[in-house]
């Protein structure tokens, strides 16, 4: 039977750390379903469609990667999509408590669903979508932090230049 793993998240935007986890997971599972959280209560920079389009573009050559939006309970979405595995990335010990709580809550809600924790390459252990946005807004360099599709989209959204001029120019 096909082993489908769900990789859920906000992906606002996807970073090289997320991409690293997805590539590692593809070595283990037959298919990765990337579940993009659609939550009107959570303020995001990119719309759900923009976040999904960026991920689809990055993995355009992979038939074993699918991207879908979801709302409501993750375990319900997993069940509907015949997936019993949820993947979450752990960058550092600081991620652990929240992830542990979520994994056990998901298990309580549906004992058939198992959470797998995966570590990205250590060079991404400081990386987060929020920091990427902050660095971009303040004119910092995003090299090695996000795929080029994401950097292009950020430039497009902010009409080519970040809101603050490059720090180098000051
Ligand atoms: O990238 P994020 O923001 O850390 O991802 C968090 C996410 C989407 C995995 C989490 O918020 C989630 O699963 N939301 C769905 C709601 C849900 O199922 N809640 C109960 C289980 S804790």
């Amino acid at each position: 039977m096909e082993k489908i793993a769900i990789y859920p998240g906000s992906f606002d935007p996807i970073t090289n750390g997320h991409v690293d986890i997805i590539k590692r997971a593809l070595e283990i599972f037959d298919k990765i379903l990337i579940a993009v959280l659609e939550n009107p209560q959570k303020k995001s920079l990119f719309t759900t469609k923009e976040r999904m389009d960026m991920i689809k573009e990055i993995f355009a050559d992979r038939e074993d990667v699918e991207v879908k939006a979801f709302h409501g309970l993750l375990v319900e979405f997993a069940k509907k999509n015949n997936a019993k595995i949820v993947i979450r990335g752990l960058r550092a010990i600081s991620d652990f408590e929240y992830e542990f709580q979520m994994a056990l809550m998901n298990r309580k809600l549906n004992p058939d669903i198992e959470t797998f924790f995966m570590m990205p390459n250590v060079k991404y252990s400081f990386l987060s979508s929020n920091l990427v946005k902050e660095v971009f807004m303040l004119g910092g360099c995003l090299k090695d932090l996000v795929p080029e599709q994401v950097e292009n989209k950020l430039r497009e959204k902010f009409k080519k230049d970040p809101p603050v001029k490059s720090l180098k120019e000051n």
Side-chain angles (χ1 to χ4, degrees):
M1 213 175 76
E2 198 183 38
K3 278 241 175 312
I4 306 170
I6 291 202
Y7 184 41
S10 306
F11 303 108
D12 185 40
I14 188 167
T15 69
N16 282 348
H18 295 124
V19 171
D20 183 87
I21 293 281
I22 295 163
K23 287 185 176 163
R24 285 170 198 278
L26 282 166
E27 298 287 322
I28 302 165
F29 303 104
D30 299 320
K31 184 176 144 187
I32 306 299
L33 172 53
I34 304 176
V36 178
L37 181 70
E38 197 171 30
N39 181 358
Q41 265 97 54
K42 198 167 168 182
K43 211 175 166 295
S44 55
L45 174 64
F46 292 104
T47 64
T48 310
K49 185 177 180 314
E50 285 171 329
R51 285 179 278 145
M52 290 173 68
D53 286 349
M54 280 185 274
I55 304 171
K56 283 181 187 167
E57 230 184 285
I58 294 161
F59 291 100
D61 61 339
R62 299 287 316 220
E63 281 182 7
D64 43 5
V65 173
E66 198 182 349
V67 186
K68 284 188 180 177
F70 86 104
H71 55 84
L73 286 177
L74 176 64
V75 291
E76 294 297 325
F77 178 78
K79 199 173 165 189
K80 245 184 259 158
N81 287 278
N82 301 317
K84 289 189 167 178
I85 298 150
V86 170
I87 294 168
R88 291 290 287 171
L90 278 184
R91 291 163 297 188
I93 296 286
S94 50
D95 282 339
F96 183 75
E97 204 169 318
Y98 170 63
E99 295 297 337
F100 187 68
Q101 268 188 323
M102 271 207 304
L104 293 182
M105 178 57 83
N106 283 333
R107 180 180 283 167
K108 168 85 180 90
L109 294 168
N110 184 342
D112 294 337
I113 289 175
E114 209 60 69
T115 301
F116 275 54
F117 292 119
M118 298 187 71
M119 285 148 316
N121 188 310
V122 72
K123 68 184 176 183
Y124 302 126
S125 53
F126 62 92
L127 187 53
S128 72
S129 300
N130 283 341
L131 276 184
V132 161
K133 285 180 276 192
E134 185 172 327
V135 168
F136 177 78
M137 303 282 189
L138 296 172
C141 176
L142 292 186
K143 188 174 176 311
D144 300 331
L145 303 181
V146 292
E148 60 169 343
Q149 293 89 341
V150 172
E151 189 164 355
N152 293 342
K153 196 81 195 167
L154 278 161
R155 293 198 187 288
E156 199 184 293
K157 206 167 188 70
F158 290 100
K159 310 256 183 304
K160 305 228 173 342
D161 286 314
V164 173
K165 277 194 155 196
S166 169
L167 297 175
K168 284 186 219 124
E169 292 169 24
N170 296 328

